Amino acid sequence: MNESYARKQLVKFCSLLYDRELTVSAGGNMSIRLNAEEIVITPSGKNKGLLDEEELLIVSMDGEVLTEGKPSIETGMHLALYKKNQNTGAIVHCHPLNCVALTLKKKIRTDLTPEGVILLGDVPTVGYYTPGTDDLANAVASYADSNAILMERHGAVTQGKTIEDAYNRMEELEFQAKLQMLTGRCRSLPKDEVERLKRL
């Protein structure tokens, strides 16, 4: 992907994530795969609603920082997912309120609505690990085939072929979490309908 275009896209969707309150202040991190060897990723400690294109960093798949600045503390997690899933072109990690709250209560259900089934599929939750550690990166990467992953007491990760795909999944994930928090115990879609939706 063209680097200039990737930077513009990343800033655009970071701003959307902030406006939708899917991330707050300096929380979260987002990246796009530029090619087989490099990604562009958000910097550490910067408000995601106020980013400039020039603040984004280029990092190699080996973890080498190729531009000035300090990359996100979760760069290792992003790289681990890219390495394990060649179809992933972009990753979004946020701390959406309802997603985090749900990890303290129960497993998220995505079979309450058709959109949850289609966009997300089954969403695993990994246990709590200190942010920025190899333990967290490895735990998340063990579910690299999942469209979305929750992290106990921490947040959520979504991935897609494009940053728009990853963004849409994060938005849908928070909607499903909020829906579950509001409805409590309720029936899922019928199993035959879930299987039909998965085939779409």
Side-chain angles (χ1 to χ4, degrees):
M1 175 181 284
N2 175 274
E3 181 183 331
S4 176
Y5 177 72
R7 286 176 179 271
K8 286 182 171 62
Q9 287 288 95
L10 203 51
V11 167
K12 171 185 172 181
F13 281 97
C14 281
S15 180
L16 274 174
L17 289 160
Y18 183 80
D19 289 345
R20 295 296 181 112
E21 298 184 355
L22 294 168
T23 189
V24 295
S25 65
N29 30 81
M30 303 82 196
S31 67
I32 294 176
R33 188 198 297 263
L34 290 176
N35 51 54
E37 303 298 329
E38 299 170 333
I39 67 169
V40 57
I41 192 165
T42 52
S44 177
K46 297 286 186 177
N47 187 303
K48 301 309 177 293
L50 302 172
L51 282 177
D52 292 324
E53 294 170 25
E54 295 75 19
E55 293 180 292
L56 303 175
L57 292 95
I58 307 299
V59 177
S60 76
M61 285 294 177
D62 295 326
E64 181 183 359
V65 182
L66 303 176
T67 52
E68 289 187 14
K70 182 180 179 183
S72 166
I73 189 176
E74 302 292 7
T75 298
M77 180 175 70
H78 287 247
L79 294 175
L81 284 171
Y82 284 122
K83 288 175 183 177
K84 290 197 74 172
N85 192 337
Q86 296 303 309
N87 291 322
T88 295
I91 294 168
V92 169
H93 163 47
C94 292
H95 310 145
L97 182 61
N98 290 285
C99 284
V100 175
L102 198 58
T103 68
L104 302 176
K105 294 172 173 282
K106 58 192 80 171
K107 176 178 168 57
I108 191 167
R109 296 167 60 196
T110 58
D111 58 0
L112 301 179
T113 70
E115 293 77 16
V117 174
I118 294 169
L119 281 177
L120 300 172
D122 185 58
V123 177
T125 300
V126 301
Y128 178 79
Y129 296 92
T130 304
T133 61
D134 289 341
D135 287 339
L136 177 60
N138 292 334
V140 171
S142 69
Y143 293 102
D145 291 336
S146 299
N147 292 328
I149 305 153
L150 289 179
M151 296 171 285
E152 184 182 339
R153 299 176 184 268
H154 186 168
V157 178
T158 55
Q159 52 184 345
K161 290 184 178 180
T162 68
I163 188 68
E164 184 175 355
D165 289 340
Y167 167 82
N168 286 341
R169 285 174 174 149
M170 183 61 71
E171 196 171 53
E172 185 64 33
L173 186 65
E174 175 65 352
F175 174 84
Q176 294 294 327
K178 185 174 182 179
L179 179 63
Q180 190 172 340
M181 296 286 282
L182 289 171
T183 58
R185 297 173 68 95
C186 62
R187 286 182 298 174
S188 301
L189 287 165
K191 288 184 179 180
D192 61 340
E193 177 62 8
V194 170
E195 290 304 314
R196 185 180 298 116
L197 289 165
K198 286 179 178 179
R199 293 193 295 269
L200 293 179

